[in-house]
Amino acid sequence: MTTPGRRVAVIGAGYVGLTTAACLAALGHRVRCADRDADLIGRLRRGQVHILEPGLDGLVSEGLAASCLRFDAGSRGAVTDAEAVFLCLPTPAGPGGAPDVSAVMAVAAEIAGALPPGCAVVVKSTVPPGTAARIAALLGRPDVAVVSNPEFLREGFAVTDFLNPDRIVVGFDTDTDTDTDAGGVAQRIASLFARLAAPVVFTSTASAELAKYAANCFLAVKLSYINEIAGLCERTGADISEVTEVLSHDPRIGASHLQPGPGWGGPCLPKDTWAILHVASAASSDLGLLRAALAANQRQLRIIVDKARLALGGRLAGSRIALLGLAFKVGTADLRESSALAIAELLGAEQARVTGYDPAVHTDVAGVWVASDPYEAVTGADAAVLLTEWPEFGMLDWTRISGLMAGDTVIDARNQLDPAVLDRAGLRWQGLGQSSPSHIKWGSRRPGCAR
């Protein structure tokens, strides 16, 4: 059983940091979450959560009410009595895709002198192999251990994933010049999660760091692969939904990440893919399969644009395209590396006018005028493109949309909609990896609407 009331500091109140802090408090620990953004800390102290993540605001409120979660502006004060200090800092892509760990290293240097003897620094940020060892050398504290504990959280499911993990990874090194029992420290960090029913995997720090990249990049390859299979289905008369049904029953493959889409994006997969390629290049290794997955993902963006151009008679200039969904995935307002925005940029480059709607995005974004509701977004549109699989899109009044649009094409890049429903509304449905359903009679209902 975990020791109640363990003292934990979490540095960084971003997506991973705030989720980590709130969930550790929910597990019974006393958590201080620090960030250099004083305004953000002020809002969090009032229970105002800045991240759209189901369940997170409730956990923060509960932690504040129980006095087991507090927020600090600045790192040094938060770590002075901590038994474990979690580093949850951003590691964005730098030049050439190299992961930028400067924020992690800067905070490590900042707190080095304030760490109490015997505490452990836990690297939760996604970092290249060797970073934990660099932090240990930078700290210069033989009485402080550095371990790796990578996160495997999905946006939109982060709280669920934290409290119901598939595995907990703790990386530690025994060949370091420290006065600590590395194995004992690793067990102590693992015990923070003792209330969670999940296997604990102990590794070296380098293996833990690389495993995080390897997991995300495997998903990227899987997504690119299924998108290419969807394209092959369209050319051979096969149905991607039937193909993936067959694949999903194979335990070696599994059912997840078999849904074709407009291309993978978000704050993790693209960044981590470039990062591991940079690591591989520095190690004189060539991950050709991963490079191919990146290239396939870029092609997928253009495939969606090509579908819109073909539907409008081969020309996008002067057309109006409505995008349904702008966030990179359902359940979040995150626009980082969103495939929807990349597609909007490609459409704009061909002089199309782009409108958009997303239930979690309420301000205009580059190249997209954001409407207040989906019906406003599609008004006057020559084609609509569904890019984020928000459930409410499946419940729209498509007959009403048919009357509002200037054209009649709906490109469903998530295969979320029922083609028969759109057919009855007088709209032409186009999905991914599926031949036109035999009961749908294609053809423009508005002569001259296609350009």
Side-chain angles (χ1 to χ4, degrees):
M1 291 293 292
T2 186
T3 304
R6 294 277 290 279
R7 299 184 303 278
V8 176
V10 176
I11 311 302
Y15 201 93
V16 173
L18 186 58
T19 300
T20 298
C23 288
L24 285 174
L27 292 177
H29 304 296
R30 289 172 286 169
V31 182
R32 297 175 70 172
C33 181
D35 198 283
R36 66 180 182 178
D37 187 335
D39 291 338
L40 171 61
I41 291 299
R43 294 195 298 273
L44 289 172
R45 286 171 175 168
R46 296 189 294 272
Q48 300 172 357
V49 174
H50 59 293
I51 297 168
L52 177 61
E53 179 60 46
L56 184 57
D57 53 351
L59 286 185
V60 170
S61 297
E62 292 169 10
L64 289 170
S67 299
C68 59
L69 176 62
R70 59 179 289 187
F71 295 97
D72 291 76
S75 303
R76 286 180 62 87
V79 306
T80 53
D81 66 345
E83 299 172 66
V85 178
F86 285 78
L87 301 184
C88 302
L89 289 309
T91 54
D100 181 358
V101 299
S102 59
V104 176
M105 303 307 292
V107 168
E110 178 185 350
I111 64 175
L115 295 168
C119 86
V121 172
V122 185
V123 185
K124 207 161 190 66
S125 299
T126 301
V127 295
T131 303
R134 288 180 58 194
I135 292 172
L138 183 151
L139 292 176
R141 292 284 303 272
D143 57 339
V144 172
V146 179
V147 303
S148 178
N149 175 230
E151 53 84 15
F152 299 95
L153 307 179
R154 298 169 298 162
E155 286 202 33
F157 302 89
V159 170
T160 298
D161 288 347
F162 193 103
L163 298 177
N164 302 275
D166 297 313
R167 74 287 206 195
I168 295 166
V169 178
V170 181
F172 68 99
D173 297 320
T174 57
D175 57 349
T176 56
D177 296 326
T178 69
D179 298 334
T180 61
D181 172 12
V185 172
Q187 291 285 353
R188 180 154 47 95
I189 297 305
S191 73
L192 293 170
F193 309 98
R195 290 174 55 184
L196 305 179
V200 179
V201 182
F202 293 102
T203 71
S204 68
T205 57
S207 293
E209 290 161 340
L210 185 56
K212 165 63 178 180
Y213 283 119
N216 273 357
C217 292
F218 183 88
L219 299 179
V221 170
K222 193 174 182 182
L223 288 167
S224 284
Y225 175 74
I226 209 64
N227 278 336
E228 294 212 320
I229 293 299
L232 184 58
C233 285
E234 294 179 7
R235 289 164 175 79
T236 59
D239 186 321
I240 188 62
S241 65
E242 295 174 347
V243 172
T244 55
E245 172 70 13
V246 174
L247 296 179
S248 69
H249 289 285
D250 189 328
R252 299 168 300 174
I253 298 174
S256 70
H257 293 77
L258 291 182
Q259 180 67 29
W264 40 268
C268 295
L269 263 60
K271 172 181 73 71
D272 292 351
T273 302
W274 283 112
I276 198 171
L277 286 172
H278 186 273
V279 169
S281 178
S284 300
S285 178
D286 181 27
L287 301 182
L289 179 62
L290 197 53
R291 293 186 186 278
L294 268 172
N297 197 51
Q298 290 300 308
R299 286 196 300 272
Q300 191 68 11
L301 301 174
R302 295 191 175 277
I303 285 172
I304 304 303
V305 175
D306 290 345
K307 285 179 177 289
R309 186 190 305 105
L310 182 62
L312 299 183
R315 180 178 174 84
L316 286 168
S319 66
R320 181 170 174 181
I321 309 296
L323 306 183
L324 297 178
L326 299 171
F328 89 94
K329 66 178 290 187
V330 67
T332 178
D334 202 335
L335 296 171
R336 289 176 290 178
E337 298 292 330
S338 167
S339 58
L341 297 191
I343 288 168
E345 183 178 356
L346 292 173
L347 291 168
E350 297 196 36
Q351 286 79 53
R353 293 171 295 152
V354 183
T355 62
Y357 170 75
D358 190 294
V361 179
H362 306 295
T363 58
D364 290 349
V365 297
V368 183
W369 174 75
V370 177
S372 59
D373 64 62
Y375 301 103
E376 182 181 30
V378 302
T379 298
D382 297 295
V385 186
L386 191 154
L387 294 171
T388 312
E389 65 275 33
W390 291 99
E392 47 261 60
F393 291 157
M395 299 180 287
L396 293 175
D397 183 342
W398 289 99
T399 299
R400 179 183 175 188
I401 288 175
S402 179
L404 293 171
M405 288 179 62
D408 61 357
T409 297
V410 177
I411 298 169
D412 183 2
R414 297 287 184 175
N415 288 353
Q416 179 185 359
L417 306 175
D418 184 342
V421 170
L422 271 68
D423 181 48
R424 288 195 295 270
L427 293 168
R428 297 190 299 166
W429 175 88
Q430 293 187 33
L432 298 183
Q434 297 181 344
S435 301
S436 304
S438 60
H439 66 280
I440 294 181
K441 304 300 183 184
W442 303 117
S444 173
R445 60 187 172 87
R446 297 189 181 95
C449 70
R451 296 177 175 82

